[in-house]
Amino acid sequence: METRIALIGIVVENKDSVKKINDILHEYGEYIVGRMGIPYSKRNVSVISIVMDAPNDIISALSGKLGMIPHVNSKTVYSKLSPIADKQ
């Protein structure tokens, strides 16, 4: 299966949404290369960056689930590198 590198940027505007975000990210843990979370207390938000190496449908599914959580905004950026076939 072909995989791509993608970055999902997430802005969390309400801390009540964090558990749902973490539960969803845990579901997709095998595709997550790295994660960075930055609390920004001055604006009462948190910013999370997720780097993935996964098939398009997996990236889209994760992004879609995150986008349906109240008080959460997310955007996905895809690498321009050509997809590579998984060697499993």
Side-chain angles (χ1 to χ4, degrees), residues 1 5 7 10-11 14-16 20 23 27 29 31 34 36 40 46 50 52 54 70 73 76 85-86:
M1 182 173 288
I5 296 173
L7 169 71
I10 307 164
V11 178
N14 186 323
K15 291 183 180 182
D16 294 337
K20 183 67 175 167
D23 289 346
E27 287 178 47
Y31 301 104
M36 179 179 63
Y40 186 29
S46 293
I50 305 294
M52 300 183 72
N73 298 304
T76 305
D86 189 4

Side-chain angles (χ1 to χ4, degrees), residues 24 29 35 48 50 57 61 74 79 81:
I24 291 170
R35 169 183 176 167
I48 304 169
I50 305 294
D57 58 335
S74 67
S79 168
L81 291 174

Side-chain angles (χ1 to χ4, degrees), residues 26-87:
H26 182 74
E27 287 178 47
Y28 293 87
E30 67 184 280
Y31 301 104
I32 295 175
V33 176
R35 169 183 176 167
M36 179 179 63
I38 302 171
Y40 186 29
S41 56
K42 181 179 177 181
R43 298 291 300 263
N44 201 31
V45 299
S46 293
V47 179
I48 304 169
S49 299
I50 305 294
V51 177
M52 300 183 72
D53 188 357
N56 278 338
D57 58 335
I58 298 293
I59 297 167
S60 295
L62 173 56
S63 183
K65 287 180 181 182
L66 292 170
M68 292 190 301
I69 301 172
H71 310 290
V72 173
N73 298 304
S74 67
K75 292 288 181 187
T76 305
V77 178
Y78 291 89
S79 168
K80 292 183 179 182
L81 291 174
S82 299
I84 61 168
D86 189 4
K87 297 179 180 171

